[in-house]
Amino acid sequence: MEQDERQPYAASFGPAAAAYAEHRPDYARAAVRWALARSPGPRVLDLGAGTGKLTGVLAAARADVVAVEPDPAMLTELRRSLPAVRALPGSAEAIPLPDASVDAVLAGNALHWFDMAVAGPEIARVLAPGGVLAGLWNVLDDRVEWVARLARVGGSAVVGPRDTPARWRTATARAHLPDTGATARFGSPEQAGFPHGQRRTADSLVATLATRAGVLVMPERERQAALGRIRAFLQTEPATARGEFTLPMQSCVLRVRRL
């Protein structure tokens, strides 16, 4: 997807900021530890931080974290939920931090929205020598049969190419590189996945999936029809029809080092 095509999707989250904060999952602690394992120090930038789902995990791990988020509504939710964290308006393409001021830049479900031809040099600028860039994605574990059926019912707008473990590896392998022929700022990628889960009901899982960009940009009638299909499936699927269940997930990580 070209940058001008990505923009409406990336801009769709603001009106759903409260629902995003309520329903989106956090990230597996093991995934965050792996993302930071090669960092030369404790200073971490959560870039495109949204409502703070990754920021909260970093703060709980006692990282020296600063969050940067371009959408005012998302930033408001982040500041409300994590008032002790320094949170700034800004974007991957214009980071409001000094040169070499962080040891790691992490992006939770956000790296694919960045224009890496511009964001790559900016991220490299704020990283200390040997610093780490890591993208994290929460994906549905479709090795579980009912999750695979859910993906088929939802369709590609709900469960896209980055949203299941096997397809995630291919879809994100070049996420750290510019779309153009600009100079790469980072070394060879490493990828890893870590088990994760989220307690949901049929209704709350529908609410979670309704915060995905592919759903948010749908025309209202199409969106309601898609969510209706998903709700009907969850209400008749034995694994999800009665009360709470754990949604099987993985927190997947792409990690590179600054050249």
Side-chain angles (χ1 to χ4, degrees), residues 108-129:
N109 278 80
L111 188 62
H112 52 276
W113 300 125
F114 299 168
D115 178 1
M116 289 304 291
V118 181
E122 266 292 272
I123 294 168
R125 178 185 65 79
V126 302
L127 275 172

Side-chain angles (χ1 to χ4, degrees), residues 71-90:
D71 188 276
M74 301 284 271
L75 187 60
T76 296
E77 290 291 337
L78 190 159
R79 287 170 168 165
R80 180 188 60 78
S81 61
L82 297 166
V85 172
R86 184 185 178 205
L88 304 173

Side-chain angles (χ1 to χ4, degrees), residues 50-74:
T51 63
K53 295 297 180 177
L54 177 57
T55 317
V57 180
L58 290 164
R62 300 182 183 275
D64 179 9
V65 60
V66 57
V68 168
E69 166 57 35
D71 188 276
M74 301 284 271

Side-chain angles (χ1 to χ4, degrees), residues 14-52:
Y20 195 107
E22 180 179 359
H23 293 294
R24 282 291 185 109
D26 63 3
Y27 294 83
R29 275 56 175 173
V32 174
R33 286 194 297 270
W34 189 85
L36 295 174
R38 296 182 181 273
S39 174
R43 302 170 301 170
V44 183
L45 165 61
D46 183 3
L47 187 56
T51 63

